[in-house]
Amino acid sequence: MVKRGSRLPRRQRLIGLWLLLSGISIFGGAVFGLWLDSIAGLEGMARLWLWLGCFSGGGTIFLVGLILERQLFTPLRHLQVQLARLVANPDARQDYPPEGWLRGLGPDLMRVREAWREDRDRLATAHAEGARSAARIRQELETLLQVLDTPLLLCDHHRRLLLFNQAAETLFEGHAGLGLGKRLGALLPIASLEDALGQLPEDGTPREILVPCDERWLHVVLRRVPHSHNETLLTLTDTTAAWSSEMGARAELAEMLPSLRRHSASLTSAADALVGVRAETPDSALGRRLEAVIDEEGQALGRQLEHMGRVMEDMHRQGERLVPLWSNDLWSSLGERHGKNGLHITPIGMPAWLQGDASALLALLDSLLPRLATHSGHSELEAEACLGNRRVYLDLIWRGHPLGEQLLDEWRGERLDALPFSPRVGDVLRQHTSDTWSLADDDGEHARLRLPLPAADRVGAPRPRTPPRPEFHDFGIAEMPAPDTELAARPLRTLEVVAFDTETTGLELRRGDTVVSIGACRIVNRRLLASDTFDLRVDPGRPIPPASTAIHGITDDDVAGAPPLGVALPRFRDYIGEAVILAHNAAFDLLAIQPPGGGIDFNMPVLDTLLLSRALDESLDGHDLDSLADRYDLSFPPGTRHTALGDARVTAELWLSLLPRLEARGVETLEQALALQASALDKEDAYAS
């Protein structure tokens, strides 16, 4: 722990003591001078020397204090700031070279700094080759994992996430439980996995399990990574569609089968009876009743068969190989394939979503386009997607006459050698419960070939692919203490920390001011995760004063439609998870996120960078966020100061800068850090952040 008596006195106290002593000496000298002057009755130079002697004590104290402040105390404070900055970052700029009576330390301090850098450079050079090789392997691994379409998760024996890829991020989009260092149970129902995780063979033999997750069913394959510290690899597949088909359309078909058999048996029996009756009495009432029964059962059978057709169509639509496709993507792929052959396809009309097997449809259309080009004599084709009743019609349009049925039949019988087992075009059409025909346009100049396909229940163009997170793995998490280790005894460097900040309608939170924005970021294993952030606007339910907007820039229009605080706080609590929270001037932000009747308890430990900085550097002024950012050479990106996420990021960077200084003073556990910051509470109220 830091020794309280080892610090420089605060500047204000020194100045106050100096002025007090000087004032007392001058006042005492004046009183003493008046007394002597009244007794001695001196004149001329003697009287002048009397008064100079009386004021000499106070003047000497004032001058000595002024010299000490400029030549010693101010240089000492500047030296303290520079050393604090160097401990946090050896490459930090040097704004305060030694001055005054400490000027002679300049070369020594510069030598220490250069030696520090040289030692670090030599160490870096010694490991350069190994690090370069490891970086290349890591980059290849990251590239491979990120382009892999199969969602992957890797967790350690404490069920903490060490790795995930872009496919997993897409699968769990918006889920608060996905993040490095977070527990697997926050992402998947751990009760469903516990038995399988506990019985995994050490040789990597997989175990499979079906896990419910929200409103989906996930097929999870678990493998113990051989020769590791009991890490487990999970590969996941969304089998909701297949499960729905199993429990929906297929179950419906099974239920229809007895009814079909019953109608069929009734028809057979009625037909046999009718034959016998007609043979004996051709025009009897019984015969007419049997005819009515046959007609009724035939109609019922027809309705059941029509229903079966719709169910089978739904099964095809839900099939695993029929996936949502964007028509423009299909036309673009065809254009790229045939552009080098001089065949150009121009999409027209509005694009649409459809269900299909992309590879099969591309192979089918590949075989069709040369026939169309030969038939029409043109290398320019237009492509259009037209919406029908539960169908999307893919039309290829050319100037000329429709294709004949004989040519279409030949094409339906053509084999597609580019596909496995070389199916015929007709087989692919049946896979999509489709057919094809050719017709003339109303203008009499154009013709088209029409291919009906199942429609997909989607609207809007595909969203652009989001770039992968800069961090999606950290194997160092496996070396951290177990999550159930007593939190107070956890080393500071192993803590999972969520730095947060709030912006509000004003500073009087007890008189109705409330939150308009919450921003947070996460630190895991001493790494600030660039993309694992929380940034949410909040509807305060009241107008935002212009004076507050002038500070944080948030207007009433910015929060229109945003969730109220009662909805935002549970989301923020889910984001924090099991982490320790960090803030600058935490008392204000904690009051903001725990309003009366809020219903959400933030009962985890709280670290406050303002109090920690004050406890470390009691003799220095300026512990607000701007001063500390300047002291530790931290910067706010343009436009991020007084935004919740921008301030939270700098607070997180400030914590990482304070960490080596805390450890250098023996403050290594959470318990010790909390005790240190508590010691700064008795000084004075926190400055506003």
Side-chain angles (χ1 to χ4, degrees), residues 26 34 66 158 188 221 224 285 300 310 325 386 466 535 585 593 596 624 633 681-682:
I26 292 174
L34 288 173
L66 186 63
H158 295 303
L188 296 171
V221 180
R224 186 82 72 210
R310 289 196 299 269
L325 301 175
C386 303
T466 56
D535 190 13
N585 190 15
I593 63 174
D624 58 280
D633 203 18
L681 284 172
D682 59 355

Side-chain angles (χ1 to χ4, degrees), residues 331 344-348 380-384 395-398 446:
W331 304 137
H344 301 286
I345 300 175
T346 304
I348 63 174
E380 301 284 342
L381 297 174
E382 292 180 343
E384 185 177 15
D395 291 353
L396 289 169
I397 307 168
W398 63 92
H446 293 83

Side-chain angles (χ1 to χ4, degrees), residues 554-613:
I554 300 175
T555 65
D556 292 332
D557 291 338
D558 294 330
V559 297
L565 189 60
V567 175
L569 288 179
R571 296 185 190 175
F572 181 47
R573 183 64 185 85
D574 290 340
Y575 174 79
I576 294 174
E578 300 176 358
V580 173
I581 57 177
L582 171 79
H584 191 80
N585 190 15
F588 179 85
D589 295 299
L590 286 175
L591 184 60
I593 63 174
Q594 297 185 101
I600 303 297
D601 292 328
F602 294 87
N603 52 5
M604 65 288 295
V606 181
L607 292 167
D608 190 336
T609 49
L610 185 147
L611 295 177
L612 289 172
S613 174

Side-chain angles (χ1 to χ4, degrees), residues 317-333:
R317 187 179 293 108
Q318 295 171 1
E320 291 186 0
R321 296 185 64 189
L322 299 187
V323 298
L325 301 175
W326 183 241
S327 60
N328 274 2
D329 291 342
L330 198 63
W331 304 137
S332 176
S333 297

